Each structure stands twice: as structure tokens, then as C-alpha cells.
């Protein structure tokens, strides 16, 4: 039930609560009013009838002989029934021939069989006379139903000897009045329910309008519109909530501005540092190339140091190029330069340019065309295949599967696979799977750059372990990335491809 209520909107819940409370109050008030009126109407009617019957019984039986005849009882019953109270009378007593006579005013309606036996027993029972009970016989009454209609039956025995009298009064008029009252109360309850619904609608609108504005403002704030503010009026709890929201939004805006400024400063620092390093690196690279050419003529004791300088210089040059590419992605300046490429030819060219033909198996049909950025696709493939060769070992298998709107390229190696705790981090920048080799040949940016290049195409790269052993990197790209281009030109600097760190 709670889950169901949570799925209902707050407005509808407020209306339901208002309606239920109003319904409960209206029904309770109507029920109380009905029962009070019912008791008052029936009590007034029966008291008037019983009082009239008691007086009429005394007046009409007092003139009868001690032992009357049956016609005399019948005449007395008819006189008693001819009153304004409109009830029927039944007189029962011993007559002169020693028999018991029952004289009704209406033989078809009121006979002794109609009177409940419990009422007859109570009327005929003689009570002990004392200070608290001055009379041996009392007047008793009971409500019954005959033919679906309500009646009042009462009876009393004449004190000092005489017949026993019974009355039968119809309560049909009182029931009609009470039914009319019930219908009136029902209509009033319905009107109260409708009024409560309208009141609930007005109250819900009054209460929920600020909540809705707060929700819209929070939604805009979540979309990045940090200048969103609420107009505050009043001093109630909702106004306090709006003020709190404005203070929170203002604090968040300042914090985001500070973080954005720091991030921009960091990006500028990395970009400036990378740019400034390129000039001395160019000179150092030229010197190392000369030293590498003269390595055979150098002292054998110096040759290892020269080779170390050459390899580290190349590694530093790759790191600078990758840092510059990462900076472009972070700054949002990387752009696509699209062309129609044959996927199989592109993979073959990537493998051939890096002399990997003997270590890579290609499973791709020619003629699978896609409109992509050839340079960025080459960066992705070089990083994935190079990573597989470096950490997984040959043979590396590259397979291509083409769909109607996407092309899928899977790169699988035959190495030990990727540890489960490493899988979520393989695309993180500078992530090293093993702390025992913090200095590896790669910069730790290769897979991250490959993923960014896939994202700029609207694609994705996933890493997993094959059930047959080894790691599998799956690249998914759209067949046509034209919708993602913004008319920007290709950034001038190239990107060197390398394998990331596991």
C-alpha cells in the first residue's frame, strides 16, 4: 500500500487525504444527526401514542361492567381507536359466558397473534407493590415489522380488574420522514465531499506551486544553469526553503567557478608546459639521433648510457605529444575530419606502418565502409593493438563485424588477461596495474586517448576477459559520424599512438 501511495503524485495524495478526512467528518456528522433525529422522532411519536392509549384505556374501560360482554368490549375498542393518534386497539378479557373475548378495532390487521409473546408475558405479569413500585401492572411497548412496515405495539392491564388492552400504531410516516432526512444528509455529505475536493485542489495548488517552482529550479541547476534563483516572498516554511535553495545555489556557483578556474589554469599549465618542452625536445631528439647513428663508434662503456638517453628521449617526446592531445580533449577543441574509409584497409595500414604484420591476425572483409576520422581511427587501433602486443603477447587477433548502423572491432590477445580489480581502471589516465613497475615503456595515456577518440566519434570501447583466455578490447563506432561534426578544422598537432598500462 505504501509503495502504491508513493507512486501517486503529491497533488493527488493531498486531494485524497482532504477527501477522506472530509468524507469521514461528513459521514460521522450525518450518522450522528440521523440517529439523534431518529431517536427524537420515534420517542416523540411513541410517547404521544402511549400516553393517549393509557388515558383512553382508563376512560373507556372504567364505564364497562365488571364482567362485560364481547360486544361491549368491541364497542369500547372501537371508541378507543377513534382518536387523533390513529392507532388500532385490541381488548382482551373474560366475558359473562366465562369465555375469553378478543375484540380488535381492525380484525384484518390487529389480532392477538400480532402481539409478540414476550410483550404479552410482560403485560400479564403482576409485580409486587411496595414503596418503589406502587402499581402491580405496567404499560409495555415494542417495535415490530408487519409486511415490511414498521409498527409500535403497546399493552397494559387495567388495574383493579378489567380487560387487557393493546395498541398497534403505524410508524410508516415516521420512516418516510427519516428516509427523507437520510437522503438529505446523503446529499449534504456528497456536497461536502465535492467542496472538500475543490478546497483540496485549491490548497494543493497553493502548497505545490512553490514546490513545483523549487523542483524546476533544482532541475535547471542540475542541468548546469548555476545562476538559477527563486523569487522569495513570505515568511513561511516554503519561503525558508526557497532562501536555503538560493544560498545553496549561490555557494555551488562560486565553488564551481573556483574549480573551473583551477581546472582551466591546470589545462593551460599542461598545454604551455607541453608546448615549451617541444622546442628543447626537438633539439635533444636531433642530438640523440646523431648519438644513435654513432653508437658503434662509441666506447663500449658509454654505449649503454647513450642507448638509455635515446629511449628515454623518445618516451618523453611521446609523453609530451600525448599530454597535448589530452589537453585538447579536456578543453573541448578536438575536432573530427571525416572521410570515407574501408575498415579493413585502415587496419591493414595501421599494422603495416608499425611492422606488426607477423604478430597480428586480421579477420575482416574488405568493403566495409564507414565515414570516420582516419587519423583518430588509426590512433585508436594503434593503441589497442600495441597494448595487446605489449601486455598480452602475440598472436593478436583483430576481427571486424559490421551492422547496419555500427561497426564493431574486437582486439584479442592470448596473454594472462586483465585482473578483475584492474578492469574498471584500464582506461584511467596514468593508471598502473602493478606497483612493482611504476616506470614502464608507456605513458599510461594510450588507452585513455583511444577512449576519448572513440567518444568523439560517438562510439565506445569496452575491456573484458575472453572465456578462452586473454583480454578482449571491443571498439564500437557508428558507420557515419557526420551528425557529430561541428564544422571545426582538424587540430594541427598529430598524436602518437602507444599502448596504455595494465
Amino acid at each position: 500500500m505504501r509503495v502504491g501511495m508513493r507512486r501517486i503524485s503529491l497533488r493527488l495524495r493531498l486531494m485524497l487525504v482532504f477527501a477522506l478526512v472530509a468524507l469521514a467528518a461528513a459521514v460521522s456528522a450525518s450518522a450522528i444527526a440521523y440517529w439523534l433525529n431518529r431517536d427524537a422522532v420515534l420517542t416523540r411519536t411513541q410517547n404521544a401514542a402511549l400516553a393517549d392509549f393509557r388515558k383512553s384505556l382508563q376512560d373507556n374501560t372504567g364505564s364497562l361492567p365488571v364482567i362485560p360482554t364481547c360486544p361491549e368490549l368491541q364497542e369500547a375498542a372501537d371508541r378507543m381507536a377513534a382518536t387523533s393518534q390513529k392507532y388500532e386497539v385490541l381488548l382482551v378479557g373474560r366475558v359473562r359466558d366465562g369465555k375469553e373475548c378478543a375484540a380488535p378495532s381492525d380484525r384484518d390487521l390487529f389480532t392477538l397473534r400480532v402481539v409478540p409473546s414476550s410483550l404479552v408475558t410482560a403485560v400479564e405479569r403482576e409485580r409486587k407493590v411496595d414503596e418503589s413500585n406502587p402499581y402491580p401492572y405496567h404499560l409495555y411497548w415494542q417495535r415490530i415489522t408487519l409486511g415490511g412496515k414498521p409498527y409500535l405495539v403497546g399493552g397494559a392491564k387495567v388495574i383493579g380488574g378489567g380487560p387487557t388492552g393493546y395498541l398497534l400504531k403505524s410508524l410508516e410516516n415516521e420512516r418516510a420522514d427519516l428516509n427523507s432526512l437520510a437522503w438529505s444528509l446523503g446529499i449534504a455529505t456528497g456536497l461536502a465531499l465535492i467542496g472538500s475536493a475543490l478546497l483540496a485542489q485549491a490548497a494543493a495548488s497553493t502548497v505545490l506551486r512553490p514546490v513545483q517552482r523549487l523542483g524546476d529550479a533544482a532541475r535547471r541547476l542540475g542541468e548546469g544553469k548555476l545562476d538559477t534563483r527563486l523569487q522569495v516572498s513570505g515568511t513561511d516554511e516554503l519561503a525558508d526553503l526557497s532562501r536555503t535553495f538560493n544560498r545553496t545555489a549561490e555557494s555551488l556557483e562560486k565553488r564551481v567557478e573556483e574549480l573551473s578556474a583551477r581546472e582551466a589554469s591546470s589545462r593551460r599549465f599542461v598545454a604551455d608546459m607541453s608546448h615549451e618542452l617541444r622546442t628543447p625536445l626537438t633539439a635533444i631528439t636531433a642530438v640523440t639521433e646523431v648519438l644513435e647513428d654513432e653508437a658503434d663508434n662509441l666506447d663500449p662503456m658509454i654505449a649503454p648510457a647513450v642507448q638509455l638517453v635515446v629511449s628515454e628521449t623518445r618516451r618523453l617526446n611521446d609523453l609530451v605529444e600525448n599530454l597535448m592531445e589530452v589537453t585538447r580533449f579536456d578543453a573541448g577543441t578536438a575536432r573530427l575530419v571525416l572521410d570515407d574509409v574501408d575498415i579493413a584497409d585502415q587496419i591493414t595500414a595501421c599494422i603495416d606502418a608499425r611492422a606488426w604484420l607477423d604478430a597480428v591476425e586480421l579477420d575482416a572483409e574488405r568493403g566495409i565502409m564507414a565515414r570516420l576520422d582516419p587519423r583518430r581511427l588509426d590512433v585508436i587501433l594503434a593503441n589497442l593493438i600495441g597494448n595487446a602486443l605489449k601486455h598480452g603477447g602475440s598472436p593478436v587477433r583483430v576481427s571486424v563485424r559490421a551492422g547496419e548502423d555500427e561497426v564493431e572491432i574486437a582486439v584479442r590477445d592470448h596473454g594472462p588477461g586483465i585482473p578483475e580489480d584492474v578492469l574498471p581502471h584500464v582506461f584511467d589516465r596514468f593508471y598502473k596495474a602493478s606497483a612493482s613497475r611504476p616506470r614502464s615503456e608507456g605513458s599510461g595515456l594510450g588507452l585513455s586517448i583511444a577512449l576519448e577518440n572513440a567518444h568523439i566519434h560517438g562510439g565506445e570501447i569496452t575491456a573484458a576477459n575472453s572465456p578462452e583466455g586473454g583480454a578482449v578490447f571491443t571498439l564500437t563506432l557508428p558507420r557515419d559520424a557526420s551528425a557529430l561534426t561541428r564544422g571545426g578544422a582538424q587540430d594541427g598537432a598529430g598524436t602518437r599512438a602507444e599502448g596504455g598500462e595494465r
Side-chain angles (χ1 to χ4, degrees), residues 190-270:
L191 293 176
L193 185 60
I194 295 174
S196 68
L198 296 177
L199 180 62
Q201 173 69 19
S205 299
T206 303
V207 173
L208 294 181
R209 191 177 295 113
V211 176
Q212 185 177 7
R213 288 199 298 266
L214 180 61
D216 294 339
R219 193 177 301 109
R220 291 195 300 272
L221 191 66
E223 293 172 354
K225 301 175 182 178
L226 301 181
D227 58 343
T228 301
R229 298 293 185 272
L230 288 172
Q231 183 177 359
V232 182
S233 61
T235 58
D236 56 9
E237 290 80 358
L238 291 174
D240 291 341
L241 181 60
S242 299
R243 293 188 184 93
T244 302
F245 175 86
N246 288 342
R247 289 194 295 268
T248 303
E250 183 178 359
S251 175
L252 180 62
E253 184 179 17
K254 291 181 180 178
R255 183 62 176 167
V256 170
E257 288 176 353
E258 293 175 0
L259 293 177
S260 298
R262 292 179 184 178
E263 184 180 1
S265 177
S266 298
R267 286 200 301 266
R268 285 195 302 271
F269 172 75
V270 173

Side-chain angles (χ1 to χ4, degrees), residues 129-326:
V129 177
D130 52 25
E131 293 181 358
S132 62
N133 182 41
Y135 303 107
Y137 297 102
H138 292 266
L139 174 64
Y140 296 93
W141 59 270
Q142 187 173 341
R143 296 183 190 130
I144 64 172
T145 301
L146 294 177
K149 297 180 179 181
Y151 287 90
L152 172 67
V153 179
K157 189 175 182 65
V158 176
I159 300 173
T164 301
Y166 296 96
L167 73 88
L168 179 69
K169 179 174 178 56
S170 174
L171 299 177
E172 183 67 19
N173 292 335
E174 286 71 18
R175 183 170 71 173
D177 293 341
L178 291 175
N179 287 341
S180 298
L181 176 62
W183 275 105
S184 301
L185 292 175
I187 294 173
T189 300
L191 293 176
L193 185 60
I194 295 174
S196 68
L198 296 177
L199 180 62
Q201 173 69 19
S205 299
T206 303
V207 173
L208 294 181
R209 191 177 295 113
V211 176
Q212 185 177 7
R213 288 199 298 266
L214 180 61
D216 294 339
R219 193 177 301 109
R220 291 195 300 272
L221 191 66
E223 293 172 354
K225 301 175 182 178
L226 301 181
D227 58 343
T228 301
R229 298 293 185 272
L230 288 172
Q231 183 177 359
V232 182
S233 61
T235 58
D236 56 9
E237 290 80 358
L238 291 174
D240 291 341
L241 181 60
S242 299
R243 293 188 184 93
T244 302
F245 175 86
N246 288 342
R247 289 194 295 268
T248 303
E250 183 178 359
S251 175
L252 180 62
E253 184 179 17
K254 291 181 180 178
R255 183 62 176 167
V256 170
E257 288 176 353
E258 293 175 0
L259 293 177
S260 298
R262 292 179 184 178
E263 184 180 1
S265 177
S266 298
R267 286 200 301 266
R268 285 195 302 271
F269 172 75
V270 173
D272 294 345
M273 180 190 67
S274 301
H275 182 74
E276 292 298 326
L277 285 175
R278 294 186 72 179
T279 300
L281 272 177
T282 301
I284 294 174
T285 301
V287 173
T288 55
E289 288 177 354
V290 173
L291 291 176
E292 188 176 23
D293 292 338
E294 298 295 330
D296 295 337
N297 301 324
L298 297 175
D299 189 320
M301 297 296 293
I302 302 176
V306 172
Q307 188 62 37
L308 178 61
V309 170
V310 170
S311 62
E312 290 300 314
T313 300
R314 289 174 178 170
R315 181 172 178 271
L316 181 59
N317 192 58
D318 292 342
L319 177 59
V320 170
E321 294 292 340
N322 285 332
L323 285 174
M324 294 185 69
E325 182 71 1
V326 168

Side-chain angles (χ1 to χ4, degrees), residues 331-344:
T333 59
R335 296 289 182 267
L336 291 175
V337 180
L338 301 180
D339 196 3
D340 294 325
V341 297
D342 185 307
I343 299 299

Side-chain angles (χ1 to χ4, degrees), residues 50-64:
L50 293 174
D52 185 82
F53 174 72
R54 179 186 291 111
K55 184 177 182 304
S56 180
L57 182 63
Q58 292 175 353
D59 294 343
N60 287 278
T61 58
S63 60
L64 289 175

Side-chain angles (χ1 to χ4, degrees), residues 412-435:
R412 178 194 166 197
D413 60 46
H414 290 77
I418 306 174
E420 292 297 328
D421 59 329
V422 176
L423 273 175
H425 306 287
V426 292
F427 296 104
D428 293 352
R429 296 175 182 178
F430 300 107
Y431 180 76
K432 306 288 184 178
S434 175

Side-chain angles (χ1 to χ4, degrees), residues 19 304 401:
R401 298 292 180 267

